[in-house]
Amino acid sequence: MNLLKVIQLHKNESALIKKAIKNNREAQHVLFELHAPKMLSVCRYYIKDLQQAEEVMLNGFFKVFSNLKNFKAEGSFEGWIRRIMVRESISYLRQQKKVEFAVDEFHFKDDATNNIDTEIELAEIQQHIDDLPEGYKMVFIMYAIEGYKHHEIAEMLHISLGTSKSQLFKARKMLQEKLKESNKITTSYGTS
């Protein structure tokens, strides 16, 4: 049964895309309503302030609808939109001059794992991610959440492969320290 729903949704989305390419405002509105909540989350990963994230998302959707004729249906439509939102978020942060990448490169284990045992709320984890330096945060989100590879991150951010790996390593280390600290505070107050 679920497979039929997925097929039907795909057919409906394909029809909506065709209509939206012809500037059908209703089809564009439906596509926006379908994808806006997830895309706001994508922008929010990168941009701390919700109103600024919403503005970036809206600019991203303007680009989506302006370039809809370029969507080749070779992958998922959601993935195509998501890439636009990521690039739009990066562009916004660059314009705000909020991104700096430490260039020091050092050797580290590439297979870093999360060894933290904690029951921290999702909102608290998001706050810890928001508190990371922008360069760390951007690489961490692109790698750990969006699933980009280091060579893709390096290309998109105009940094070296080593800098991408270094930023991820530092971000993970900083997050682990913050999560350990939060866990200690939670358990010392007896609220866990």
Side-chain angles (χ1 to χ4, degrees):
M1 271 298 194
N2 284 342
L3 183 60
L4 292 175
K5 287 181 182 179
V6 171
I7 291 170
Q8 188 62 35
L9 175 63
H10 180 70
K11 282 184 179 179
N12 288 344
E13 189 172 68
S14 295
L16 286 170
I17 292 168
K18 287 176 185 174
K19 288 179 183 178
I21 288 172
K22 296 176 182 175
N23 286 327
N24 180 308
R25 298 291 181 221
E26 188 177 329
Q28 290 175 343
H29 179 74
V30 172
L31 286 171
F32 175 83
E33 291 293 321
L34 277 172
H35 295 285
K38 283 185 182 177
M39 295 309 124
L40 179 58
S41 293
V42 170
C43 295
R44 176 60 188 82
Y45 288 145
Y46 294 91
I47 301 163
K48 190 174 187 175
D49 182 86
L50 181 60
Q51 289 179 328
Q52 290 172 343
E54 286 176 342
E55 185 177 322
V56 169
M57 179 199 66
L58 291 173
N59 289 337
F61 269 105
F62 177 76
K63 287 186 178 178
V64 165
F65 292 122
S66 297
N67 295 294
L68 199 52
K69 62 188 171 295
N70 298 328
F71 175 63
K72 306 225 184 310
E74 293 170 351
S76 78
F77 183 61
E78 182 179 313
W80 184 76
I81 295 174
R82 187 179 204 99
R83 283 188 296 280
I84 291 172
M85 295 300 163
V86 168
R87 290 180 188 275
E88 195 66 21
S89 297
I90 291 168
S91 176
Y92 170 81
L93 290 170
R94 277 203 178 114
Q95 289 171 357
Q96 300 299 310
K97 306 224 186 291
K98 292 185 178 183
V99 182
E100 289 183 26
F101 297 99
V103 186
D104 61 317
E105 296 184 20
F106 57 94
H107 298 288
F108 53 89
K109 287 194 284 184
D110 207 17
D111 58 26
T113 57
N114 184 356
N115 57 0
I116 297 173
D117 182 30
T118 185
E119 294 180 16
I120 296 177
E121 295 288 324
L122 187 58
E124 189 174 347
I125 292 171
Q126 180 64 55
Q127 183 60 49
H128 289 315
I129 293 171
D130 284 342
D131 292 341
L132 289 172
E134 288 298 328
Y136 293 9
K137 177 181 166 183
M138 193 175 298
V139 172
F140 177 81
I141 291 168
M142 291 178 80
Y143 185 87
I145 297 173
E146 297 294 333
Y148 287 101
K149 304 290 184 220
H150 282 295
H151 70 275
E152 294 171 313
I153 296 168
E155 183 180 318
M156 288 174 72
L157 298 179
H158 308 292
I159 58 176
S160 73
L161 189 65
T163 299
S164 177
K165 290 179 179 183
S166 170
Q167 297 290 296
L168 178 64
F169 176 79
K170 291 175 184 179
R172 281 180 169 165
K173 186 174 181 183
M174 190 176 281
L175 279 173
Q176 286 176 344
E177 289 169 5
K178 288 178 183 237
L179 291 171
K180 281 181 186 176
E181 189 177 302
S182 291
N183 202 25
K184 284 179 188 175
I185 291 169
T186 303
T187 55
S188 70
Y189 288 118
T191 58
S192 65

